[in-house]
Amino acid sequence: MLARSGRTSFLLASARSWTTLLVGTRLVRPLRRLTASVRRPVDQQGRVPVGARDEIGYLAVALNDLFDRRETMEAQRKALVSDLAHELRTPLTNIRGSIEAAQDGMTPTDAQLLEVLFEETSLLQRVVDDLRDLAAADTGNLRLHPEYVYLNDVLTQVADAHRGIAESQHVRLSTDFTVDPQLSVDPVRLRQVVGNLVSNAIRHTGENGVITLRTAATHDQFTIEVADTGTGIAPADLQRIFDRFWRADSSRSRTTGGSGLGLAIARKLIEAHDGRITATSRLGVGSTFTITLPRARQAPT
Ligand SMILES: Nc1ncnc2c1ncn2[C@@H]1O[C@H](COP(=O)(O)OP(=O)(O)O)[C@@H](O)[C@H]1O
Ligand SMILES: [Mg+2]
């Protein structure tokens, strides 16, 4: 009797250890495969195989998602470096070309040459300044110097500064202010943002077009609108205009634009003010850029 029960418990124990071994192997094997995939050098890292729909399977899916995101970031980084090189190369080539032509006696060393050199170096300066702003925003070091200013004063300054160039292109720049709150904002930065919106609008609006600067209020925010009757932006492009270096016209020349960083910086600057910036557009009809600023920025009365 004793011997039988001893055998039974021996059999039971060995069955249990077989089960443990089996379960252990089923658990450990896929985990080992995952670990091996993750340990591979970055450039050889593919996707990890997704096995059963259990916790390990979910872990594999999460890892693949992480790999995908890293790949996207890497692609963006490479594109940024290549765009940057392109952006700096164009003005540098022009500067060098102009100087060489003058040295060879092909063109005179005169005021016109200085004008070209000045414009090209200004373009370089703008790209570098824009990059500095973006880098500061990325590292959380974008410093605002807020003060209470009347919103319409800032917008009027921007309109006045751009009226000459607008008129020279037969574009009317008008204002339509329905409110004039006193807000705590960085006036230099707000001028920079609205100035970029207005100069973009001028650049993309043909003769007899109109650009309107509007202010309005809702129960919880103030809005600034820059509306134009210009070329408009294709729906697919509208998603990308706030991306760094993105421009509908990829031929980058002095006449067709700035650095392609303006809207990326505008978004960072407005977000630093707890606001938002969005765009709507219809091809051939025009575009409207809207900035919203929270009512919390209003001066206490
Ligand atoms: N008002 C507008 N109308 C049409 N396209 C616009 C307008 N504003 C911006 N865009 C498009 O968005 C792109 C990015 O603008 P931005 O970031 O300011 O760079 P940049 O002005 O240096 O080209 C522009 O190159 C243009 O293609
Ligand atoms: Mg711009």
Side-chain angles (χ1 to χ4, degrees), residues 130 196-197 199-205 228 230-233 240-243 245-249 256-264 281 286-289:
D130 284 355
N196 180 50
L197 296 183
S199 70
N200 282 350
I202 294 174
R203 207 177 296 136
H204 296 98
T205 302
D228 67 56
T231 57
I233 303 162
R240 312 193 51 197
I241 53 173
F242 291 94
D243 291 354
F245 289 120
W246 190 88
R247 304 166 76 189
D249 175 6
T256 58
S259 60
L261 292 170
L263 287 177
S281 188
S287 312
T288 300
F289 286 79

Side-chain angles (χ1 to χ4, degrees), residues 153-233:
D153 286 349
V154 177
L155 301 186
T156 305
Q157 282 168 1
V158 175
D160 289 346
H162 288 82
R163 194 156 281 118
I165 181 145
E167 277 169 7
S168 74
Q169 297 183 27
H170 305 283
V171 170
R172 191 155 56 85
L173 190 52
S174 70
T175 53
D176 175 11
F177 299 145
T178 57
V179 288
D180 187 15
Q182 196 184 15
L183 300 178
S184 163
V185 291
D186 183 329
V188 175
R189 295 308 204 169
L190 189 58
R191 268 201 301 275
Q192 178 184 349
V193 171
V194 182
N196 180 50
L197 296 183
V198 172
S199 70
N200 282 350
I202 294 174
R203 207 177 296 136
H204 296 98
T205 302
E207 273 192 20
N208 302 322
V210 183
I211 295 166
T212 312
L213 273 164
R214 284 194 197 94
T215 55
T218 66
H219 70 286
D220 62 347
Q221 60 198 20
F222 295 103
T223 62
I224 305 166
E225 260 182 34
V226 179
D228 67 56
T229 59
T231 57
I233 303 162

Side-chain angles (χ1 to χ4, degrees), residues 81-95 120 123-129 131 245 252 259:
V81 173
S82 131
D83 284 344
L84 180 57
H86 182 98
E87 213 59 50
L88 298 177
R89 192 187 304 121
T90 312
L92 279 174
T93 307
N94 293 345
I95 291 170
E120 296 294 348
L123 186 58
L124 277 176
Q125 176 90 52
R126 202 154 63 223
V127 176
V128 174
D129 287 350
L131 279 170
F245 289 120
R252 292 141 208 261
S259 60

Side-chain angles (χ1 to χ4, degrees), residues 1-154:
M1 187 66 191
L2 248 179
R4 253 186 84 172
S5 80
R7 206 164 54 227
T8 315
S9 57
F10 169 76
L11 281 174
L12 263 176
S14 67
R16 231 181 266 135
S17 55
W18 272 109
T19 316
T20 313
L21 196 69
L22 215 72
V23 172
T25 317
R26 278 195 55 185
L27 264 178
V28 169
R29 249 197 219 136
L31 277 177
R32 274 212 187 117
R33 267 207 307 270
L34 286 187
T35 313
S37 302
V38 176
R39 280 207 177 126
R40 247 177 253 147
V42 172
D43 54 326
Q44 291 168 26
Q45 229 161 42
R47 298 170 64 84
V48 295
V50 179
R53 283 168 63 90
D54 55 12
E55 291 309 320
I56 297 179
Y58 298 145
L59 179 62
V61 172
L63 273 174
N64 281 336
D65 187 41
L66 190 69
F67 290 159
D68 287 349
R69 271 183 286 160
R70 200 192 50 204
E71 220 165 83
T72 311
M73 276 171 63
E74 186 60 12
Q76 281 171 347
R77 191 187 63 78
K78 284 181 183 156
L80 194 67
V81 173
S82 131
D83 284 344
L84 180 57
H86 182 98
E87 213 59 50
L88 298 177
R89 192 187 304 121
T90 312
L92 279 174
T93 307
N94 293 345
I95 291 170
R96 208 187 147 140
S98 302
I99 295 175
E100 276 174 357
Q103 277 177 333
D104 296 348
M106 314 265 282
T107 55
T109 314
D110 59 3
Q112 204 186 336
L113 174 75
L114 288 179
E115 181 66 26
V116 171
L117 294 181
F118 181 77
E119 274 197 36
E120 296 294 348
T121 44
S122 302
L123 186 58
L124 277 176
Q125 176 90 52
R126 202 154 63 223
V127 176
V128 174
D129 287 350
D130 284 355
L131 279 170
R132 193 196 47 199
D133 282 350
L134 271 179
D138 285 344
T139 53
N141 288 321
L142 196 64
R143 292 268 284 282
L144 295 183
H145 301 283
E147 51 185 276
Y148 284 116
V149 290
Y150 283 98
L151 184 56
N152 296 354
D153 286 349
V154 177

